[in-house]
Amino acid sequence: MSIARRLVPPLVAAALIASAVPALAQSAPASTPRRDWADRYLTRIDTEKKGYITLADAERFANAQFARLDRNHDGVVDHTEFMAAAQRSLDRASPVRKARVEASFERRETLFHTLDQKGDGKITQDEYLAATRQHFTEIDTQKTGKLTADDLRVAHHGL
């Protein structure tokens, strides 16, 4: 058998395979980009799946958050209640994640004192909602009354 006869079938097969690979790549579903924190946050608040949140959405979410934080349902969130969620996260954290959760304690402490406008060691629901309204207004630089995931990214990362 000549060399040409022995090489042609494998070369033809290789050519067929090579031409089919791009076609397979085109027919494969495109991978979905990984959602970042802003997309996940928006999804939690935008229950109607509009692609943006309004002040009413933000207030509804803040009311639900306040209710979860106010463990004893006395209408105020004290320092212990506010830090309890972070403590629960720390207790459940894996050794790898523990350092990151511990770092969040300082930010949470600062947030508590920012929300406690009267400085009395308690956050009322009115204080919590006032901070939500102020934060929404600060992020809504275009004054559209709507926040997108991109608006959240820009506000929190200066991108």
Side-chain angles (χ1 to χ4, degrees):
M1 185 183 260
S2 74
I3 291 180
R5 282 190 152 192
R6 281 186 284 163
L7 290 179
V8 170
L11 288 175
V12 170
L16 288 173
I17 291 171
S19 66
V21 169
L24 289 174
Q26 290 174 359
S27 65
S31 64
T32 306
R34 186 168 181 239
R35 293 177 6 167
D36 69 353
W37 67 269
D39 292 322
R40 290 188 304 271
Y41 190 69
L42 186 80
T43 300
R44 288 177 59 202
I45 299 173
D46 178 22
T47 57
E48 297 168 356
K49 300 185 185 343
K50 302 177 299 284
Y52 60 86
I53 56 174
T54 63
L55 180 57
D57 295 328
E59 288 175 334
R60 183 176 51 251
F61 185 76
N63 274 318
Q65 272 188 318
F66 187 86
R68 281 191 303 276
L69 289 169
D70 184 12
R71 305 284 283 182
N72 63 2
H73 309 292
D74 64 353
V76 296
V77 174
D78 63 23
H79 186 265
T80 303
E81 287 172 315
F82 192 77
M83 296 303 286
Q87 185 61 51
R88 286 189 302 275
S89 292
L90 182 62
D91 294 343
R92 292 188 311 254
S94 68
V96 172
R97 214 172 146 257
K98 200 173 235 31
R100 189 172 187 181
V101 175
E102 286 172 341
S104 73
F105 265 71
E106 188 173 319
R107 290 190 305 274
R108 193 154 178 93
E109 187 76 38
T110 300
L111 179 59
F112 179 82
H113 293 294
T114 301
L115 294 172
D116 180 16
Q117 296 170 355
K118 295 178 199 162
D120 59 359
K122 301 178 215 166
I123 303 168
T124 65
Q125 191 161 10
D126 288 339
E127 287 173 319
Y128 201 78
L129 290 173
T132 298
R133 289 183 200 103
Q134 179 182 353
H135 196 57
F136 185 95
T137 302
E138 290 169 358
I139 295 172
D140 186 18
T141 59
Q142 302 295 316
K143 306 301 177 215
T144 62
K146 301 173 183 176
L147 299 181
T148 64
D150 286 338
D151 293 327
L152 297 172
R153 284 184 205 97
V154 168
H156 291 281
H157 291 295
L159 300 176

